[in-house]
Amino acid sequence: MPISGFPEWMPPQRMIEQRMLDRIRTTFELYGYAPLETRSVEPLDTLLSKGETSKEVYLLRRLQADENAKDDDSLGLHFDLTVPFARFVVENAGKLQFPFKRYQMQKVWRGERPQEGRYREFLQADIDVVNRGELPFHYDCEMPLVIGDALGGLPIPRVRIQVNNRKVCEGFYRGLGLGDTAQVLRTVDKLDKIGPARVADQLVETAGATRAQADACLELAAISAEDGSFVDAVRKLGVTDPLLEEGLGELLRVVETAREHAPGLVVAELKIARGLDYYTGTVYETMLEGYERFGSVTSGGRYDSLASTGKETFPGVGISIGVTRILGLLFGHNALNISRSVPTCVLVAVPAEEQRTACDRIAGALRRRGIPAEVAPTAAKFGKQIQYADRRGIPYVWFPGEPDTVKDIRSGDQTEADAALWSPPAGDLQPTIAG
């Protein structure tokens, strides 16, 4: 029986997921990110100190607690991959080469309310780069380019990466005279969920804003541009602050870098805040074209003090692809399909059971040359063996004989073939994904 929020894909969907992961992994490695996998559990105090997540953390407990085990109540499943990565960096700083660039592709767990595209167990694909002391800003500019390359090569709708900078928001709120900038950020982050009128009310109630200050916060959040024009739009609001200027300069660099390398990929969207408390500068959220109402499918940002030993700080910037989120939305709308339900390219027919060993040899010869092949399950009539291949979408059936022949069961074409030489067209070798 299905459990809400814990998806299980059928084999065709799982094959699509694997192809997507292959593309993402290849792209990450092309940019020099190295693979890492961290443990699934973290100390509870680590997980609870990183933003509004306490209601979402899954505890790890044994059914029968050991009275002498001190950690039975103090471990939780990680809710993202950034927090465990920061902990890993601090613990292994002496063994790492900095700047340290890594990617992780792992399951994470969040006890939020399941809905379309939102799950309690899901797969994320993250990249992060951290450094000792200071992290050059050009890495903030690289993040959207990597994501654009990774997702742009897949048969999925176009992505648009919305970028903002926390310094812009915090500097603007300070310049307005608002003291609790963190509360203002958290409230503005709810814009898409509750709308501007309720955000304004909450700014007055929870952040001590006047109506005029709340309106100014909403004016800032309404600014959006694909080029540097957002800088003038912010300045027209008449608020000044050194942190605001610093943030505008950084955000401009991200937008201009993306415009040069990937026009149309990035848009400055000044309402983006991100709910997690550890972000300190650039923040990213990505929308899937046609699926904007479901919210962000990749997100991340700059964090300057998440990884720290007390004496030493390791600032970082990262971005995370919600792999299960993207696929769940597209599967739910039948927007992705695969050409066959099995990897098999060739079914080797079995004329009679006593010939199975010879058929296994043919399949083995094909496999050694990288051609996915299986042998028919029974020596039924050839018509039934062809039906078996057809039901699974296997394009070719191989008939042992003197000589061997291979049939494309889609077109009916049948030709003589040698297992040591024959190859299918490149498009038939692996299942193909179509949007």
Side-chain angles (χ1 to χ4, degrees):
M1 153 178 173
I3 301 175
S4 180
F6 293 83
E8 291 181 318
W9 306 136
M10 296 296 282
Q13 295 171 318
R14 178 68 174 143
M15 283 196 290
I16 291 171
E17 182 182 59
Q18 296 281 38
R19 295 287 185 280
M20 184 173 182
L21 293 175
D22 289 344
R23 167 73 194 188
I24 293 169
R25 182 186 300 109
T26 303
T27 307
F28 287 173
E29 292 187 356
L30 283 171
Y31 279 83
Y33 291 84
L36 178 69
E37 183 161 315
T38 55
R39 65 198 184 205
S40 299
V41 297
E42 294 294 334
L44 211 47
D45 55 358
T46 303
L47 296 172
L48 296 184
S49 63
K50 308 302 175 191
E52 297 182 331
T53 54
S54 56
K55 295 176 191 159
E56 298 180 358
V57 172
Y58 278 106
L59 291 178
L60 193 72
R61 285 207 184 108
R62 289 197 300 167
L63 186 60
Q64 295 194 320
D66 180 348
E67 290 174 15
N68 300 315
K70 293 191 173 73
D71 63 1
D72 265 17
D73 286 336
S74 58
L75 294 176
L77 292 168
H78 56 219
F79 60 82
D80 76 356
L81 299 177
T82 309
V83 171
F85 172 60
R87 187 265 313 154
F88 177 89
V89 168
V90 170
E91 287 179 7
N92 295 281
K95 302 171 196 165
L96 302 175
Q97 296 293 320
F98 291 98
F100 179 47
K101 299 174 79 171
R102 81 84 178 86
Y103 72 87
Q104 263 176 274
M105 301 164 90
Q106 279 180 251
K107 291 275 181 79
V108 302
W109 294 268
R110 257 178 224 182
E112 58 183 357
R113 187 170 64 84
Q115 50 193 295
E116 191 171 9
R118 283 205 178 275
Y119 302 96
R120 291 172 170 172
E121 177 184 65
F122 51 98
L123 186 69
Q124 286 189 185
D126 282 30
I127 45 167
D128 286 84
V129 52
V130 295
N131 202 25
R132 282 185 190 275
E134 270 188 53
L135 179 70
F137 188 77
H138 61 78
Y139 289 112
D140 293 51
C141 301
E142 179 178 89
M143 291 288 147
L145 304 181
V146 182
I147 299 304
D149 274 0
L151 298 181
L154 292 165
I156 64 173
R158 203 162 74 102
V159 296
R160 290 289 298 269
I161 303 177
Q162 301 179 340
V163 189
N164 195 7
N165 194 302
R166 282 263 177 111
K167 294 174 187 174
V168 171
C169 303
E170 289 189 36
F172 187 85
Y173 304 151
R174 274 193 213 169
L176 277 177
L178 290 166
D180 191 353
T181 56
Q183 181 57 45
V184 180
L185 269 171
R186 278 194 293 273
T187 308
V188 171
D189 196 40
K190 298 174 185 171
L191 253 176
D192 286 340
K193 289 178 186 163
I194 64 174
R198 285 183 62 198
V199 165
D201 291 342
Q202 287 193 13
L203 287 171
V204 173
E205 290 162 21
T206 65
T210 63
R211 278 288 156 190
Q213 287 170 326
D215 289 344
C217 292
L218 291 174
E219 282 185 73
L220 179 76
I223 293 170
S224 169
E226 287 185 26
D227 56 21
S229 62
F230 69 88
V231 176
D232 288 336
V234 173
R235 291 199 175 126
K236 276 182 188 158
L237 299 179
V239 175
T240 55
D241 182 87
L243 189 66
L244 170 61
E245 285 305 312
E246 190 183 324
L248 287 172
E250 290 182 356
L251 185 54
L252 186 61
R253 275 186 69 183
V254 176
V255 170
E256 287 185 336
T257 302
R259 268 173 71 77
E260 183 178 334
H261 294 283
L265 176 67
V266 163
V267 57
E269 195 73 60
L270 271 58
K271 67 181 177 184
I272 302 300
R274 304 287 306 125
L276 292 163
D277 289 345
Y278 54 69
Y279 293 118
T280 53
T282 313
V283 284
Y284 315 97
E285 289 203 346
T286 304
M287 299 296 163
L288 201 58
E289 216 167 67
Y291 296 82
E292 291 87 353
R293 67 190 182 281
F294 297 106
S296 177
V297 295
T298 88
S299 57
R302 160 77 70 142
Y303 47 91
D304 283 328
S305 50
L306 180 62
S308 176
T309 60
K311 294 178 187 170
E312 198 171 20
T313 303
F314 303 89
V317 62
I319 195 163
S320 168
I321 300 174
V323 176
T324 308
R325 188 157 166 62
I326 293 172
L327 291 176
L329 288 171
L330 296 177
F331 290 158
H333 290 80
N334 297 314
L336 272 182
N337 55 66
I338 193 160
S339 58
R340 53 187 189 256
S341 65
V342 292
T344 314
C345 174
V346 181
L347 179 78
V348 180
V350 180
E353 277 304 327
E354 49 270 27
Q355 288 178 254
R356 183 169 289 277
T357 303
C359 298
D360 287 338
R361 275 199 295 273
I362 293 167
L366 292 168
R367 290 179 198 128
R368 280 191 293 278
R369 296 177 48 242
I371 300 167
E374 62 177 279
V375 179
T378 63
K381 289 180 180 173
F382 279 159
K384 287 201 169 171
Q385 295 189 51
I386 291 169
Q387 275 180 351
Y388 173 87
D390 188 43
R391 279 200 304 273
R392 284 155 184 76
I394 301 170
Y396 296 96
V397 177
W398 192 284
F399 298 102
E402 297 290 340
D404 289 1
T405 58
V406 66
K407 180 174 188 169
D408 180 340
I409 64 171
R410 299 160 300 183
S411 65
D413 294 343
Q414 190 163 338
T415 54
E416 290 184 15
D418 179 343
L421 300 170
W422 178 85
S423 289
D428 287 337
L429 188 62
Q430 302 289 345
T432 53
I433 305 169

